[in-house]
Amino acid sequence: MQKSITSIIAFLFFTSSFAQTKYQNPEVDPIQIQKTYTDWSAYQSKNIMLSRDITALDSNSKEISKGSFLDQLANGNYIPIRLKSEDLVYYYKLFQIQPNSDTSIKATINQIGFDAYKNFEMEGKPFPKFSFKDLNGNLISNESMKGKIVVIKCWYIHCTPCIKEFPQVNKLAATYKNRQDIIFVSLAEDSPEQLKTFLTKRPLAYAVIPGMKVYMNEALQLNSFPTHFILNKEGMIAKVLPNFESLEVALEKESKL
């Protein structure tokens, strides 16, 4: 009997140790990276993309759903850190924000988490009813887009990050120009006249639909720009993304389905 109890304890110790060592160490020191807002912000913007397909871990290294992970970022006291892994495998773990960290870190993470959670909640749902004409007079609607993968960029003229990524999204559109089942559409807040003047100097290789401020505010409830959507061939939202880097990876995956 004593031998059996000893075996059970040894087994439990082994499985507990395995659970703790299953994942690699964080790629940066979670405490050191919080020393200044600048250090954390530089790491966050380059290494943490919450729109990715990730394996999410809580502060005890327990796997949790992505929704729970984002909710804790939005409402808790955590920073996300990527664990060391292969290049295309993403393990993100929650680490406590230190009491002496810059308060701007928590405030920014809560906002980023809130936006990411809202975007995540939209995925898997139908894209809101849509029927508008682009700058060339072409009607674009849910019906006309059905059966195609649709890439949608939401932006406005005075959004610096929106304009900065023009060369990248233009290159992306060129990469898929021979795919008849993939179309690129942009929703812009500005008037047709403003857009035509602006786009002569900064061309965008997307169909551009003007005057979309109300639709983006009310139907899409956007509060961050740029925002990118990828719709699958059934008109469902496959991904909601905050930047080009996330978009490029997600579109490559969707285009192979």
Side-chain angles (χ1 to χ4, degrees), residues 165-177 205 244 248:
E165 66 177 17
F166 268 29
Q168 295 167 304
V169 296
N170 285 342
K171 185 177 180 180
L172 185 67
T175 299
Y176 292 94
K177 66 180 180 180
F244 167 78
E248 185 177 33

Side-chain angles (χ1 to χ4, degrees), residues 30-32 34 77 79 95-103:
I31 296 177
Q32 188 65 32
Q34 300 179 52
N77 191 49
I79 59 170
F95 289 87
Q96 284 282 347
I97 295 177
Q98 298 300 298
N100 58 347
S101 293
D102 189 325
T103 55

Side-chain angles (χ1 to χ4, degrees), residues 27 32 48 69 82 92 133 193 222 228 234 244 251:
E27 61 182 6
Q32 188 65 32
I48 302 296
F69 183 87
R82 184 182 175 187
Y92 288 178
K133 289 186 177 180
E193 295 74 19
L222 297 185
H228 302 269
E234 288 71 47
F244 167 78
L251 180 57

Side-chain angles (χ1 to χ4, degrees), residues 15-251:
T15 54
S16 175
S17 299
F18 177 77
Q20 292 176 8
T21 59
K22 180 180 178 181
Y23 301 105
Q24 298 295 320
N25 294 325
E27 61 182 6
V28 295
D29 185 330
I31 296 177
Q32 188 65 32
I33 203 67
Q34 300 179 52
K35 291 293 185 182
T36 70
Y37 179 83
T38 302
D39 287 345
W40 171 80
S41 182
Y43 170 77
Q44 164 85 19
S45 61
K46 184 177 180 180
N47 298 79
I48 302 296
M49 296 185 188
L50 296 175
S51 56
R52 281 175 171 157
D53 294 326
I54 65 172
T55 297
L57 308 175
D58 67 12
S59 57
N60 296 314
S61 297
K62 178 184 176 183
E63 286 191 27
I64 56 177
S65 69
K66 183 177 179 180
S68 177
F69 183 87
L70 296 176
D71 180 62
Q72 290 187 60
L73 285 180
N75 299 295
N77 191 49
Y78 300 101
I79 59 170
I81 299 289
R82 184 182 175 187
L83 304 186
K84 294 177 182 177
S85 62
E86 297 175 16
D87 286 346
L88 298 180
V89 179
Y90 302 102
Y91 297 106
Y92 288 178
K93 180 178 173 179
L94 297 173
F95 289 87
Q96 284 282 347
I97 295 177
Q98 298 300 298
N100 58 347
S101 293
D102 189 325
T103 55
S104 297
I105 293 178
K106 182 180 187 310
T108 304
I109 288 177
N110 287 161
Q111 185 60 54
I112 290 172
F114 174 82
D115 291 339
Y117 184 77
K118 183 169 70 69
N119 289 346
F120 175 71
E121 286 286 280
M122 295 179 72
E123 294 174 6
K125 297 178 180 177
F127 194 71
K129 189 175 180 181
F130 185 91
S131 182
F132 300 99
K133 289 186 177 180
D134 67 15
L135 287 175
N136 296 319
N138 300 309
L139 180 66
I140 300 176
S141 66
N142 301 77
E143 288 302 315
S144 69
M145 296 188 296
K146 193 168 289 186
K148 298 181 183 295
I149 296 171
V150 186
V151 181
I152 300 175
K153 172 181 168 72
C154 300
W155 66 289
Y156 58 94
I157 285 174
H158 297 294
C159 168
T160 300
C162 301
I163 309 308
K164 186 178 181 180
E165 66 177 17
F166 268 29
Q168 295 167 304
V169 296
N170 285 342
K171 185 177 180 180
L172 185 67
T175 299
Y176 292 94
K177 66 180 180 180
N178 294 324
R179 286 284 299 264
Q180 300 300 311
D181 61 334
I182 300 178
I183 60 174
F184 293 82
V185 177
S186 78
L187 312 183
E189 288 189 357
D190 316 277
S191 71
E193 295 74 19
Q194 291 171 316
L195 287 165
K196 287 176 181 178
T197 300
F198 181 83
L199 293 170
T200 56
K201 298 178 181 179
R202 293 178 176 272
L204 177 61
Y206 283 43
V208 180
I209 302 176
M212 298 299 291
K213 184 173 183 177
V214 172
Y215 179 84
M216 289 192 286
N217 286 346
E218 296 182 0
L220 300 180
Q221 297 186 346
L222 297 185
N223 55 18
S224 179
F225 294 87
T227 294
H228 302 269
F229 292 85
I230 297 177
L231 312 186
N232 65 21
K233 294 184 178 182
E234 288 71 47
M236 309 294 283
I237 299 172
K239 277 290 182 182
V240 186
L241 310 141
N243 52 46
F244 167 78
E245 289 78 13
S246 302
L247 171 65
E248 185 177 33
V249 173
L251 180 57

